[in-house]
Amino acid sequence: MGITDKVKNLGEQIHTGAKNAFVETLTWVLKGITGIFLGLTLGMIGQELMKFGTLMLVFFTIVITGVFLRLAKSWGLGGVLIFDLICVLVSQILRMYILLAPNM
């Protein structure tokens, strides 16, 4: 094994490591954003139903974000994207229901 093979192997290892680090960072950031949106949405629903203040909204957002991050700890990028897709589809169904309900 010559020096060119060693340099080529080292370059491939650096490329693979950088790619894995990028995917892991992207997955972590996407989990965080998803958790914050989920927490904020459920907190706003609770705020409307129970008439609690801003401090409870922030508390609910933080708690639900933490619970989501704990539940999604073992999920990969694909799992988070599928969960986000399901959330978007459910929200569109609820939006359609809200828009059509007064006319019935």
Side-chain angles (χ1 to χ4, degrees):
M1 181 178 228
I3 192 154
T4 55
D5 292 334
K6 289 181 182 179
V7 171
K8 182 180 175 184
N9 191 16
L10 179 65
E12 288 175 4
Q13 288 177 350
I14 291 173
H15 177 72
T16 303
K19 183 175 133 184
N20 290 342
F22 176 74
V23 170
E24 287 178 17
T25 305
L26 181 67
T27 303
W28 187 82
V29 168
L30 193 59
K31 284 179 189 179
I33 291 171
T34 301
I36 289 170
F37 273 116
L38 190 63
L40 191 59
T41 302
L42 294 176
M44 285 179 164
I45 290 171
Q47 190 177 26
E48 273 302 311
L49 291 177
M50 296 183 218
K51 305 291 184 203
F52 52 75
T54 306
L55 185 63
M56 283 299 291
L57 173 68
V58 172
F59 177 74
F60 264 54
T61 303
I62 291 171
V63 167
I64 292 173
T65 300
V67 168
F68 176 77
L69 289 175
R70 178 69 109 178
L71 289 174
K73 183 172 40 173
S74 63
W75 295 0
L77 183 61
V80 176
L81 290 175
I82 289 172
F83 179 79
D84 287 344
L85 178 67
I86 291 170
C87 286
V88 167
L89 292 175
V90 167
S91 68
Q92 288 299 316
I93 290 171
L94 289 173
R95 180 179 178 269
M96 184 176 61
Y97 173 73
I98 290 170
L99 291 175
L100 292 177
N103 296 330
M104 293 181 162

